[in-house]
Amino acid sequence: MLYCLALNIKLFFSVLRQFLAVGVLLILLYACQDEQSQYLFEYVDSSRTGIDFSNDIVINDKINVIDFQYCYNGGGVGIGDFNNDQLPDLVFTGNQVSSKLYLNKGGLEFLDITEVAAVQTKDWITGVSIEDINADGFDDIYLNVGGADCQQDCNNLLFVNQGLNSEGIPTFLEKAKAYGLDDSGYSQQTVFFDYDLDGDLDAYILRNGNVRFDKNAPLPKRFYPEHLSDVLLRNDSNDLVSHPYFTDVATQL
């Protein structure tokens, strides 16, 4: 009988240890969950934010993943402070729809100023860069252009910030050609940086192309067709011109 009692006591403590272990584990999990809850994302509906952009793609005999493998790539989102109020504004790029510019009003509320700002697009946008290209204190918008029918005629777009109108809304003028930035090859993205350390922004344009199997070509990119070759543009700003002008120097380096 003493033997059975000893076994029961041993079993009791064994079960008690298991309950204690489970209890401690549950407490730790709850504590971790409570500590991490402050870092979880919260969904904010478009009815509150005012952001109703949708990059809808309509498939047809030209726009599909067989004939145009990049049709779902999109063009990205640009963030800049276009009215210098210390709040981040948003540029959503479109393919078959116009790009949109939303002005940040604070408190996660945004105002669609696309038409007033004059930044509508009708091209297939593949990339966006936000820079103060002319160093006037206002952010500008540079858009890369591609598309299924790009045949050295999909010119990139540069929307130069003209400052604020009477209502405090930033307005823009398209100036890509005037700045030498209207690259017409199939480009994906542009990086602005000062490669020659002369104090102004130069540009590197990354190109791609809708040529089947081109991504598997064994040749270095400098031997690709022109519409696939990357471009390095030097900013040739000087006192004789009122704004920067970019010159292609890729073949000189």
Side-chain angles (χ1 to χ4, degrees), residues 21-71:
V22 172
V24 171
L25 180 60
L26 290 174
I27 291 173
L28 290 175
L29 289 174
Y30 178 79
C32 291
Q33 181 179 9
D34 184 61
E35 181 180 351
Q36 294 178 359
S37 62
Q38 59 182 313
Y39 301 109
L40 296 178
F41 290 97
E42 177 184 354
Y43 172 75
V44 183
D45 192 81
S46 61
S47 61
R48 175 187 165 189
T49 64
I51 299 175
D52 58 357
F53 177 81
S54 180
N55 189 32
D56 299 320
I57 303 297
V58 179
I59 300 301
N60 54 44
D61 59 344
K62 288 185 179 180
I63 308 298
N64 56 77
V65 294
I66 303 299
D67 298 300
F68 181 38
Q69 62 266 45
Y70 310 123
C71 68

mmCIF file of all heavy atoms in Angstrom, residues 21-71:
data_model
loop_
_atom_site.group_PDB
_atom_site.id
_atom_site.type_symbol
_atom_site.label_atom_id
_atom_site.label_comp_id
_atom_site.label_asym_id
_atom_site.label_seq_id
_atom_site.Cartn_x
_atom_site.Cartn_y
_atom_site.Cartn_z
ATOM 1 N N ALA A 21 4.310 23.927 -16.220
ATOM 2 C CA ALA A 21 5.059 24.229 -17.442
ATOM 3 C C ALA A 21 4.146 24.848 -18.492
ATOM 4 O O ALA A 21 4.498 25.849 -19.153
ATOM 5 C CB ALA A 21 5.719 22.961 -17.984
ATOM 6 N N VAL A 22 2.946 24.252 -18.659
ATOM 7 C CA VAL A 22 1.984 24.793 -19.621
ATOM 8 C C VAL A 22 1.536 26.186 -19.205
ATOM 9 O O VAL A 22 1.408 27.100 -20.028
ATOM 10 C CB VAL A 22 0.772 23.850 -19.768
ATOM 11 C CG1 VAL A 22 -0.313 24.508 -20.605
ATOM 12 C CG2 VAL A 22 1.195 22.520 -20.369
ATOM 13 N N GLY A 23 1.314 26.369 -17.907
ATOM 14 C CA GLY A 23 0.892 27.676 -17.418
ATOM 15 C C GLY A 23 1.932 28.749 -17.655
ATOM 16 O O GLY A 23 1.614 29.859 -18.096
ATOM 17 N N VAL A 24 3.190 28.420 -17.366
ATOM 18 C CA VAL A 24 4.278 29.377 -17.606
ATOM 19 C C VAL A 24 4.388 29.705 -19.097
ATOM 20 O O VAL A 24 4.580 30.864 -19.495
ATOM 21 C CB VAL A 24 5.605 28.814 -17.069
ATOM 22 C CG1 VAL A 24 6.773 29.687 -17.508
ATOM 23 C CG2 VAL A 24 5.566 28.734 -15.550
ATOM 24 N N LEU A 25 4.245 28.678 -19.935
ATOM 25 C CA LEU A 25 4.321 28.895 -21.377
ATOM 26 C C LEU A 25 3.213 29.821 -21.855
ATOM 27 O O LEU A 25 3.450 30.742 -22.651
ATOM 28 C CB LEU A 25 4.240 27.556 -22.106
ATOM 29 C CG LEU A 25 4.301 27.613 -23.640
ATOM 30 C CD1 LEU A 25 5.622 28.237 -24.093
ATOM 31 C CD2 LEU A 25 4.140 26.218 -24.236
ATOM 32 N N LEU A 26 1.992 29.607 -21.356
ATOM 33 C CA LEU A 26 0.866 30.456 -21.747
ATOM 34 C C LEU A 26 1.080 31.894 -21.294
ATOM 35 O O LEU A 26 0.766 32.849 -22.011
ATOM 36 C CB LEU A 26 -0.438 29.904 -21.173
ATOM 37 C CG LEU A 26 -0.939 28.592 -21.785
ATOM 38 C CD1 LEU A 26 -2.169 28.085 -21.024
ATOM 39 C CD2 LEU A 26 -1.262 28.786 -23.267
ATOM 40 N N ILE A 27 1.616 32.062 -20.092
ATOM 41 C CA ILE A 27 1.893 33.404 -19.588
ATOM 42 C C ILE A 27 2.920 34.117 -20.455
ATOM 43 O O ILE A 27 2.783 35.293 -20.797
ATOM 44 C CB ILE A 27 2.371 33.330 -18.118
ATOM 45 C CG1 ILE A 27 1.216 32.887 -17.214
ATOM 46 C CG2 ILE A 27 2.912 34.683 -17.656
ATOM 47 C CD1 ILE A 27 1.645 32.617 -15.781
ATOM 48 N N LEU A 28 3.982 33.383 -20.837
ATOM 49 C CA LEU A 28 5.017 33.972 -21.689
ATOM 50 C C LEU A 28 4.462 34.349 -23.054
ATOM 51 O O LEU A 28 4.780 35.418 -23.595
ATOM 52 C CB LEU A 28 6.179 32.985 -21.842
ATOM 53 C CG LEU A 28 7.037 32.760 -20.587
ATOM 54 C CD1 LEU A 28 8.066 31.667 -20.838
ATOM 55 C CD2 LEU A 28 7.731 34.055 -20.173
ATOM 56 N N LEU A 29 3.646 33.463 -23.637
ATOM 57 C CA LEU A 29 3.050 33.758 -24.940
ATOM 58 C C LEU A 29 2.154 34.977 -24.865
ATOM 59 O O LEU A 29 2.166 35.837 -25.751
ATOM 60 C CB LEU A 29 2.265 32.542 -25.443
ATOM 61 C CG LEU A 29 3.083 31.335 -25.897
ATOM 62 C CD1 LEU A 29 2.154 30.165 -26.228
ATOM 63 C CD2 LEU A 29 3.939 31.701 -27.106
ATOM 64 N N TYR A 30 1.364 35.077 -23.825
ATOM 65 C CA TYR A 30 0.476 36.227 -23.652
ATOM 66 C C TYR A 30 1.279 37.511 -23.482
ATOM 67 O O TYR A 30 0.954 38.551 -24.061
ATOM 68 C CB TYR A 30 -0.421 36.012 -22.439
ATOM 69 C CG TYR A 30 -1.337 37.189 -22.163
ATOM 70 C CD1 TYR A 30 -2.510 37.373 -22.906
ATOM 71 C CD2 TYR A 30 -1.014 38.125 -21.182
ATOM 72 C CE1 TYR A 30 -3.334 38.450 -22.664
ATOM 73 C CE2 TYR A 30 -1.834 39.209 -20.937
ATOM 74 C CZ TYR A 30 -2.997 39.367 -21.681
ATOM 75 O OH TYR A 30 -3.806 40.436 -21.453
ATOM 76 N N ALA A 31 2.361 37.418 -22.700
ATOM 77 C CA ALA A 31 3.196 38.597 -22.473
ATOM 78 C C ALA A 31 3.836 39.055 -23.769
ATOM 79 O O ALA A 31 3.886 40.259 -24.066
ATOM 80 C CB ALA A 31 4.261 38.285 -21.422
ATOM 81 N N CYS A 32 4.335 38.091 -24.572
ATOM 82 C CA CYS A 32 4.960 38.444 -25.851
ATOM 83 C C CYS A 32 3.941 39.052 -26.802
ATOM 84 O O CYS A 32 4.222 40.036 -27.494
ATOM 85 C CB CYS A 32 5.589 37.209 -26.487
ATOM 86 S SG CYS A 32 7.047 36.597 -25.594
ATOM 87 N N GLN A 33 2.745 38.462 -26.836
ATOM 88 C CA GLN A 33 1.702 38.967 -27.720
ATOM 89 C C GLN A 33 1.309 40.386 -27.321
ATOM 90 O O GLN A 33 1.135 41.265 -28.159
ATOM 91 C CB GLN A 33 0.482 38.046 -27.672
ATOM 92 C CG GLN A 33 -0.641 38.495 -28.600
ATOM 93 C CD GLN A 33 -1.830 37.563 -28.545
ATOM 94 O OE1 GLN A 33 -1.895 36.679 -27.707
ATOM 95 N NE2 GLN A 33 -2.770 37.759 -29.434
ATOM 96 N N ASP A 34 1.204 40.608 -26.006
ATOM 97 C CA ASP A 34 0.820 41.935 -25.533
ATOM 98 C C ASP A 34 1.903 42.959 -25.843
ATOM 99 O O ASP A 34 1.623 44.099 -26.203
ATOM 100 C CB ASP A 34 0.572 41.874 -24.023
ATOM 101 C CG ASP A 34 0.066 43.203 -23.483
ATOM 102 O OD1 ASP A 34 -1.007 43.628 -23.923
ATOM 103 O OD2 ASP A 34 0.760 43.812 -22.636
ATOM 104 N N GLU A 35 3.172 42.522 -25.742
ATOM 105 C CA GLU A 35 4.280 43.432 -25.999
ATOM 106 C C GLU A 35 4.389 43.773 -27.476
ATOM 107 O O GLU A 35 4.734 44.892 -27.852
ATOM 108 C CB GLU A 35 5.585 42.794 -25.508
ATOM 109 C CG GLU A 35 6.810 43.674 -25.717
ATOM 110 C CD GLU A 35 8.079 43.005 -25.220
ATOM 111 O OE1 GLU A 35 7.980 41.938 -24.565
ATOM 112 O OE2 GLU A 35 9.158 43.537 -25.490
ATOM 113 N N GLN A 36 4.095 42.797 -28.355
ATOM 114 C CA GLN A 36 4.249 43.004 -29.783
ATOM 115 C C GLN A 36 3.026 43.638 -30.433
ATOM 116 O O GLN A 36 3.096 44.096 -31.562
ATOM 117 C CB GLN A 36 4.544 41.669 -30.470
ATOM 118 C CG GLN A 36 5.887 41.066 -30.074
ATOM 119 C CD GLN A 36 6.123 39.731 -30.746
ATOM 120 O OE1 GLN A 36 5.282 39.253 -31.497
ATOM 121 N NE2 GLN A 36 7.260 39.127 -30.471
ATOM 122 N N SER A 37 1.893 43.669 -29.729
ATOM 123 C CA SER A 37 0.669 44.159 -30.345
ATOM 124 C C SER A 37 0.802 45.597 -30.818
ATOM 125 O O SER A 37 0.148 46.008 -31.767
ATOM 126 C CB SER A 37 -0.502 44.020 -29.364
ATOM 127 O OG SER A 37 -0.269 44.818 -28.197
ATOM 128 N N GLN A 38 1.655 46.387 -30.165
ATOM 129 C CA GLN A 38 1.814 47.785 -30.549
ATOM 130 C C GLN A 38 2.502 47.938 -31.898
ATOM 131 O O GLN A 38 2.483 49.018 -32.486
ATOM 132 C CB GLN A 38 2.604 48.525 -29.473
ATOM 133 C CG GLN A 38 3.996 47.945 -29.232
ATOM 134 C CD GLN A 38 4.733 48.671 -28.134
ATOM 135 O OE1 GLN A 38 4.749 49.889 -28.120
ATOM 136 N NE2 GLN A 38 5.335 47.925 -27.208
ATOM 137 N N TYR A 39 3.144 46.864 -32.387
ATOM 138 C CA TYR A 39 3.850 46.944 -33.652
ATOM 139 C C TYR A 39 3.049 46.389 -34.824
ATOM 140 O O TYR A 39 3.501 46.418 -35.961
ATOM 141 C CB TYR A 39 5.184 46.187 -33.548
ATOM 142 C CG TYR A 39 6.088 46.708 -32.468
ATOM 143 C CD1 TYR A 39 6.320 45.970 -31.310
ATOM 144 C CD2 TYR A 39 6.699 47.947 -32.598
ATOM 145 C CE1 TYR A 39 7.140 46.449 -30.310
ATOM 146 C CE2 TYR A 39 7.527 48.439 -31.592
ATOM 147 C CZ TYR A 39 7.748 47.689 -30.451
ATOM 148 O OH TYR A 39 8.554 48.164 -29.466
ATOM 149 N N LEU A 40 1.863 45.884 -34.591
ATOM 150 C CA LEU A 40 1.073 45.314 -35.672
ATOM 151 C C LEU A 40 0.508 46.411 -36.557
ATOM 152 O O LEU A 40 0.228 47.527 -36.099
ATOM 153 C CB LEU A 40 -0.071 44.475 -35.099
ATOM 154 C CG LEU A 40 0.345 43.243 -34.287
ATOM 155 C CD1 LEU A 40 -0.891 42.530 -33.749
ATOM 156 C CD2 LEU A 40 1.173 42.292 -35.137
ATOM 157 N N PHE A 41 0.357 46.115 -37.843
ATOM 158 C CA PHE A 41 -0.222 47.061 -38.786
ATOM 159 C C PHE A 41 -1.737 47.142 -38.604
ATOM 160 O O PHE A 41 -2.388 46.175 -38.189
ATOM 161 C CB PHE A 41 0.085 46.645 -40.225
ATOM 162 C CG PHE A 41 1.527 46.811 -40.600
ATOM 163 C CD1 PHE A 41 2.403 45.729 -40.545
ATOM 164 C CD2 PHE A 41 2.018 48.039 -41.006
ATOM 165 C CE1 PHE A 41 3.739 45.875 -40.888
ATOM 166 C CE2 PHE A 41 3.346 48.199 -41.349
ATOM 167 C CZ PHE A 41 4.205 47.116 -41.293
ATOM 168 N N GLU A 42 -2.270 48.283 -38.932
ATOM 169 C CA GLU A 42 -3.709 48.484 -38.858
ATOM 170 C C GLU A 42 -4.222 48.909 -40.233
ATOM 171 O O GLU A 42 -3.680 49.836 -40.844
ATOM 172 C CB GLU A 42 -4.053 49.571 -37.834
ATOM 173 C CG GLU A 42 -5.538 49.882 -37.747
ATOM 174 C CD GLU A 42 -5.842 51.034 -36.799
ATOM 175 O OE1 GLU A 42 -4.901 51.511 -36.137
ATOM 176 O OE2 GLU A 42 -7.012 51.461 -36.736
ATOM 177 N N TYR A 43 -5.232 48.220 -40.727
ATOM 178 C CA TYR A 43 -5.819 48.564 -42.019
ATOM 179 C C TYR A 43 -6.607 49.866 -41.911
ATOM 180 O O TYR A 43 -7.411 50.050 -40.991
ATOM 181 C CB TYR A 43 -6.735 47.435 -42.495
ATOM 182 C CG TYR A 43 -7.529 47.797 -43.733
ATOM 183 C CD1 TYR A 43 -6.915 47.828 -44.983
ATOM 184 C CD2 TYR A 43 -8.880 48.124 -43.647
ATOM 185 C CE1 TYR A 43 -7.632 48.159 -46.117
ATOM 186 C CE2 TYR A 43 -9.599 48.464 -44.776
ATOM 187 C CZ TYR A 43 -8.965 48.476 -46.012
ATOM 188 O OH TYR A 43 -9.677 48.827 -47.128
ATOM 189 N N VAL A 44 -6.343 50.776 -42.843
ATOM 190 C CA VAL A 44 -7.062 52.045 -42.892
ATOM 191 C C VAL A 44 -7.808 52.107 -44.220
ATOM 192 O O VAL A 44 -7.191 52.073 -45.293
ATOM 193 C CB VAL A 44 -6.113 53.252 -42.754
ATOM 194 C CG1 VAL A 44 -6.911 54.554 -42.736
ATOM 195 C CG2 VAL A 44 -5.278 53.124 -41.482
ATOM 196 N N ASP A 45 -9.112 52.200 -44.177
ATOM 197 C CA ASP A 45 -9.936 52.148 -45.380
ATOM 198 C C ASP A 45 -9.754 53.399 -46.237
ATOM 199 O O ASP A 45 -9.477 54.491 -45.735
ATOM 200 C CB ASP A 45 -11.403 52.001 -44.990
ATOM 201 C CG ASP A 45 -12.272 51.650 -46.186
ATOM 202 O OD1 ASP A 45 -12.306 50.464 -46.550
ATOM 203 O OD2 ASP A 45 -12.902 52.570 -46.751
ATOM 204 N N SER A 46 -9.922 53.228 -47.542
ATOM 205 C CA SER A 46 -9.761 54.343 -48.477
ATOM 206 C C SER A 46 -10.786 55.447 -48.250
ATOM 207 O O SER A 46 -10.554 56.599 -48.603
ATOM 208 C CB SER A 46 -9.866 53.838 -49.924
ATOM 209 O OG SER A 46 -11.135 53.251 -50.154
ATOM 210 N N SER A 47 -11.918 55.090 -47.649
ATOM 211 C CA SER A 47 -12.925 56.105 -47.360
ATOM 212 C C SER A 47 -12.418 57.119 -46.336
ATOM 213 O O SER A 47 -12.882 58.255 -46.294
ATOM 214 C CB SER A 47 -14.211 55.444 -46.843
ATOM 215 O OG SER A 47 -13.964 54.729 -45.645
ATOM 216 N N ARG A 48 -11.448 56.705 -45.536
ATOM 217 C CA ARG A 48 -10.850 57.621 -44.566
ATOM 218 C C ARG A 48 -9.624 58.311 -45.149
ATOM 219 O O ARG A 48 -9.441 59.511 -44.975
ATOM 220 C CB ARG A 48 -10.455 56.862 -43.297
ATOM 221 C CG ARG A 48 -9.709 57.744 -42.291
ATOM 222 C CD ARG A 48 -9.164 56.962 -41.119
ATOM 223 N NE ARG A 48 -8.178 57.727 -40.377
ATOM 224 C CZ ARG A 48 -7.419 57.233 -39.416
ATOM 225 N NH1 ARG A 48 -7.527 55.962 -39.070
ATOM 226 N NH2 ARG A 48 -6.540 57.997 -38.793
ATOM 227 N N THR A 49 -8.763 57.564 -45.844
ATOM 228 C CA THR A 49 -7.513 58.146 -46.345
ATOM 229 C C THR A 49 -7.729 59.021 -47.571
ATOM 230 O O THR A 49 -6.965 59.950 -47.824
ATOM 231 C CB THR A 49 -6.510 57.042 -46.706
ATOM 232 O OG1 THR A 49 -7.037 56.261 -47.804
ATOM 233 C CG2 THR A 49 -6.251 56.134 -45.514
ATOM 234 N N GLY A 50 -8.750 58.709 -48.375
ATOM 235 C CA GLY A 50 -8.951 59.425 -49.625
ATOM 236 C C GLY A 50 -8.136 58.860 -50.774
ATOM 237 O O GLY A 50 -8.200 59.359 -51.894
ATOM 238 N N ILE A 51 -7.370 57.806 -50.524
ATOM 239 C CA ILE A 51 -6.553 57.176 -51.563
ATOM 240 C C ILE A 51 -7.367 56.066 -52.220
ATOM 241 O O ILE A 51 -7.566 55.001 -51.645
ATOM 242 C CB ILE A 51 -5.250 56.605 -50.975
ATOM 243 C CG1 ILE A 51 -4.410 57.718 -50.363
ATOM 244 C CG2 ILE A 51 -4.450 55.871 -52.048
ATOM 245 C CD1 ILE A 51 -3.162 57.236 -49.659
ATOM 246 N N ASP A 52 -7.826 56.310 -53.438
ATOM 247 C CA ASP A 52 -8.668 55.344 -54.130
ATOM 248 C C ASP A 52 -8.025 54.841 -55.418
ATOM 249 O O ASP A 52 -8.709 54.319 -56.307
ATOM 250 C CB ASP A 52 -10.031 55.960 -54.443
ATOM 251 C CG ASP A 52 -9.914 57.228 -55.290
ATOM 252 O OD1 ASP A 52 -8.771 57.653 -55.578
ATOM 253 O OD2 ASP A 52 -10.956 57.799 -55.653
ATOM 254 N N PHE A 53 -6.701 54.985 -55.532
ATOM 255 C CA PHE A 53 -6.010 54.573 -56.754
ATOM 256 C C PHE A 53 -6.064 53.060 -56.935
ATOM 257 O O PHE A 53 -5.899 52.295 -55.985
ATOM 258 C CB PHE A 53 -4.554 55.020 -56.720
ATOM 259 C CG PHE A 53 -3.756 54.576 -57.914
ATOM 260 C CD1 PHE A 53 -3.830 55.271 -59.099
ATOM 261 C CD2 PHE A 53 -2.933 53.456 -57.842
ATOM 262 C CE1 PHE A 53 -3.104 54.859 -60.207
ATOM 263 C CE2 PHE A 53 -2.204 53.038 -58.938
ATOM 264 C CZ PHE A 53 -2.293 53.742 -60.125
ATOM 265 N N SER A 54 -6.278 52.635 -58.176
ATOM 266 C CA SER A 54 -6.265 51.209 -58.516
ATOM 267 C C SER A 54 -5.639 51.042 -59.894
ATOM 268 O O SER A 54 -6.163 51.554 -60.884
ATOM 269 C CB SER A 54 -7.690 50.636 -58.498
ATOM 270 O OG SER A 54 -7.681 49.258 -58.831
ATOM 271 N N ASN A 55 -4.525 50.341 -59.955
ATOM 272 C CA ASN A 55 -3.817 50.134 -61.218
ATOM 273 C C ASN A 55 -4.401 48.910 -61.932
ATOM 274 O O ASN A 55 -3.779 47.860 -62.025
ATOM 275 C CB ASN A 55 -2.319 49.956 -60.961
ATOM 276 C CG ASN A 55 -1.512 49.949 -62.245
ATOM 277 O OD1 ASN A 55 -1.863 50.610 -63.214
ATOM 278 N ND2 ASN A 55 -0.426 49.191 -62.259
ATOM 279 N N ASP A 56 -5.603 49.057 -62.447
ATOM 280 C CA ASP A 56 -6.303 47.938 -63.089
ATOM 281 C C ASP A 56 -5.689 47.613 -64.446
ATOM 282 O O ASP A 56 -5.466 48.503 -65.273
ATOM 283 C CB ASP A 56 -7.780 48.280 -63.259
ATOM 284 C CG ASP A 56 -8.475 48.527 -61.930
ATOM 285 O OD1 ASP A 56 -8.182 47.789 -60.974
ATOM 286 O OD2 ASP A 56 -9.299 49.460 -61.846
ATOM 287 N N ILE A 57 -5.428 46.339 -64.672
ATOM 288 C CA ILE A 57 -4.874 45.859 -65.941
ATOM 289 C C ILE A 57 -5.946 45.062 -66.676
ATOM 290 O O ILE A 57 -6.491 44.089 -66.144
ATOM 291 C CB ILE A 57 -3.634 44.966 -65.719
ATOM 292 C CG1 ILE A 57 -2.561 45.713 -64.917
ATOM 293 C CG2 ILE A 57 -3.082 44.488 -67.054
ATOM 294 C CD1 ILE A 57 -2.012 46.935 -65.604
ATOM 295 N N VAL A 58 -6.268 45.494 -67.891
ATOM 296 C CA VAL A 58 -7.241 44.790 -68.735
ATOM 297 C C VAL A 58 -6.476 43.963 -69.759
ATOM 298 O O VAL A 58 -5.731 44.496 -70.586
ATOM 299 C CB VAL A 58 -8.183 45.786 -69.442
ATOM 300 C CG1 VAL A 58 -9.159 45.030 -70.337
ATOM 301 C CG2 VAL A 58 -8.936 46.630 -68.420
ATOM 302 N N ILE A 59 -6.653 42.661 -69.694
ATOM 303 C CA ILE A 59 -5.944 41.747 -70.593
ATOM 304 C C ILE A 59 -6.589 41.741 -71.975
ATOM 305 O O ILE A 59 -7.811 41.732 -72.111
ATOM 306 C CB ILE A 59 -5.939 40.321 -70.006
ATOM 307 C CG1 ILE A 59 -5.240 40.306 -68.652
ATOM 308 C CG2 ILE A 59 -5.267 39.349 -70.958
ATOM 309 C CD1 ILE A 59 -3.815 40.769 -68.703
ATOM 310 N N ASN A 60 -5.742 41.760 -73.021
ATOM 311 C CA ASN A 60 -6.224 41.636 -74.400
ATOM 312 C C ASN A 60 -5.196 40.877 -75.218
ATOM 313 O O ASN A 60 -4.291 40.242 -74.647
ATOM 314 C CB ASN A 60 -6.529 43.027 -74.989
ATOM 315 C CG ASN A 60 -5.343 43.963 -74.877
ATOM 316 O OD1 ASN A 60 -4.200 43.581 -75.148
ATOM 317 N ND2 ASN A 60 -5.597 45.205 -74.455
ATOM 318 N N ASP A 61 -5.293 40.961 -76.553
ATOM 319 C CA ASP A 61 -4.389 40.172 -77.394
ATOM 320 C C ASP A 61 -2.953 40.675 -77.377
ATOM 321 O O ASP A 61 -2.032 39.979 -77.821
ATOM 322 C CB ASP A 61 -4.909 40.116 -78.836
ATOM 323 C CG ASP A 61 -5.053 41.496 -79.442
ATOM 324 O OD1 ASP A 61 -5.055 42.491 -78.684
ATOM 325 O OD2 ASP A 61 -5.176 41.591 -80.685
ATOM 326 N N LYS A 62 -2.721 41.888 -76.854
ATOM 327 C CA LYS A 62 -1.364 42.417 -76.729
ATOM 328 C C LYS A 62 -0.887 42.456 -75.283
ATOM 329 O O LYS A 62 0.299 42.260 -75.004
ATOM 330 C CB LYS A 62 -1.291 43.829 -77.317
ATOM 331 C CG LYS A 62 -1.383 43.886 -78.833
ATOM 332 C CD LYS A 62 -1.177 45.307 -79.317
ATOM 333 C CE LYS A 62 -1.230 45.382 -80.840
ATOM 334 N NZ LYS A 62 -1.027 46.775 -81.322
ATOM 335 N N ILE A 63 -1.806 42.744 -74.376
ATOM 336 C CA ILE A 63 -1.454 42.838 -72.959
ATOM 337 C C ILE A 63 -1.803 41.526 -72.281
ATOM 338 O O ILE A 63 -2.937 41.293 -71.853
ATOM 339 C CB ILE A 63 -2.201 44.009 -72.277
ATOM 340 C CG1 ILE A 63 -1.990 45.295 -73.054
ATOM 341 C CG2 ILE A 63 -1.752 44.155 -70.833
ATOM 342 C CD1 ILE A 63 -0.547 45.735 -73.137
ATOM 343 N N ASN A 64 -0.822 40.647 -72.182
ATOM 344 C CA ASN A 64 -0.968 39.370 -71.491
ATOM 345 C C ASN A 64 0.436 38.849 -71.194
ATOM 346 O O ASN A 64 1.416 39.315 -71.774
ATOM 347 C CB ASN A 64 -1.772 38.363 -72.326
ATOM 348 C CG ASN A 64 -1.161 38.136 -73.697
ATOM 349 O OD1 ASN A 64 -0.164 37.429 -73.816
ATOM 350 N ND2 ASN A 64 -1.747 38.748 -74.727
ATOM 351 N N VAL A 65 0.538 37.895 -70.282
ATOM 352 C CA VAL A 65 1.850 37.452 -69.824
ATOM 353 C C VAL A 65 2.610 36.647 -70.873
ATOM 354 O O VAL A 65 3.814 36.415 -70.718
ATOM 355 C CB VAL A 65 1.723 36.626 -68.527
ATOM 356 C CG1 VAL A 65 1.238 37.484 -67.382
ATOM 357 C CG2 VAL A 65 0.803 35.426 -68.730
ATOM 358 N N ILE A 66 1.933 36.228 -71.936
ATOM 359 C CA ILE A 66 2.622 35.494 -72.999
ATOM 360 C C ILE A 66 3.315 36.468 -73.954
ATOM 361 O O ILE A 66 4.495 36.310 -74.281
ATOM 362 C CB ILE A 66 1.639 34.585 -73.775
ATOM 363 C CG1 ILE A 66 0.942 33.599 -72.816
ATOM 364 C CG2 ILE A 66 2.368 33.844 -74.888
ATOM 365 C CD1 ILE A 66 1.890 32.670 -72.098
ATOM 366 N N ASP A 67 2.590 37.479 -74.390
ATOM 367 C CA ASP A 67 3.144 38.427 -75.354
ATOM 368 C C ASP A 67 3.826 39.626 -74.700
ATOM 369 O O ASP A 67 4.625 40.308 -75.326
ATOM 370 C CB ASP A 67 2.028 38.930 -76.280
ATOM 371 C CG ASP A 67 1.405 37.809 -77.089
ATOM 372 O OD1 ASP A 67 2.149 37.171 -77.855
ATOM 373 O OD2 ASP A 67 0.204 37.559 -76.930
ATOM 374 N N PHE A 68 3.489 39.891 -73.450
ATOM 375 C CA PHE A 68 4.066 41.034 -72.739
ATOM 376 C C PHE A 68 4.297 40.616 -71.291
ATOM 377 O O PHE A 68 3.446 40.779 -70.436
ATOM 378 C CB PHE A 68 3.104 42.232 -72.827
ATOM 379 C CG PHE A 68 3.608 43.473 -72.139
ATOM 380 C CD1 PHE A 68 4.944 43.833 -72.182
ATOM 381 C CD2 PHE A 68 2.722 44.287 -71.449
ATOM 382 C CE1 PHE A 68 5.402 44.973 -71.543
ATOM 383 C CE2 PHE A 68 3.151 45.436 -70.816
ATOM 384 C CZ PHE A 68 4.502 45.781 -70.859
ATOM 385 N N GLN A 69 5.496 40.052 -71.062
ATOM 386 C CA GLN A 69 5.757 39.407 -69.770
ATOM 387 C C GLN A 69 5.821 40.369 -68.595
ATOM 388 O O GLN A 69 5.813 39.953 -67.437
ATOM 389 C CB GLN A 69 7.055 38.595 -69.830
ATOM 390 C CG GLN A 69 8.318 39.403 -70.108
ATOM 391 C CD GLN A 69 8.679 39.433 -71.574
ATOM 392 O OE1 GLN A 69 7.813 39.640 -72.407
ATOM 393 N NE2 GLN A 69 9.955 39.227 -71.893
ATOM 394 N N TYR A 70 5.872 41.671 -68.858
ATOM 395 C CA TYR A 70 5.973 42.641 -67.772
ATOM 396 C C TYR A 70 4.632 43.305 -67.438
ATOM 397 O O TYR A 70 4.598 44.319 -66.762
ATOM 398 C CB TYR A 70 6.975 43.736 -68.132
ATOM 399 C CG TYR A 70 8.306 43.217 -68.621
ATOM 400 C CD1 TYR A 70 8.809 43.589 -69.868
ATOM 401 C CD2 TYR A 70 9.059 42.354 -67.833
ATOM 402 C CE1 TYR A 70 10.031 43.106 -70.313
ATOM 403 C CE2 TYR A 70 10.277 41.861 -68.272
ATOM 404 C CZ TYR A 70 10.761 42.247 -69.510
ATOM 405 O OH TYR A 70 11.965 41.770 -69.949
ATOM 406 N N CYS A 71 3.531 42.740 -67.920
ATOM 407 C CA CYS A 71 2.256 43.451 -67.819
ATOM 408 C C CYS A 71 1.775 43.627 -66.380
ATOM 409 O O CYS A 71 0.947 44.502 -66.117
ATOM 410 C CB CYS A 71 1.183 42.765 -68.663
ATOM 411 S SG CYS A 71 0.652 41.150 -68.081
#
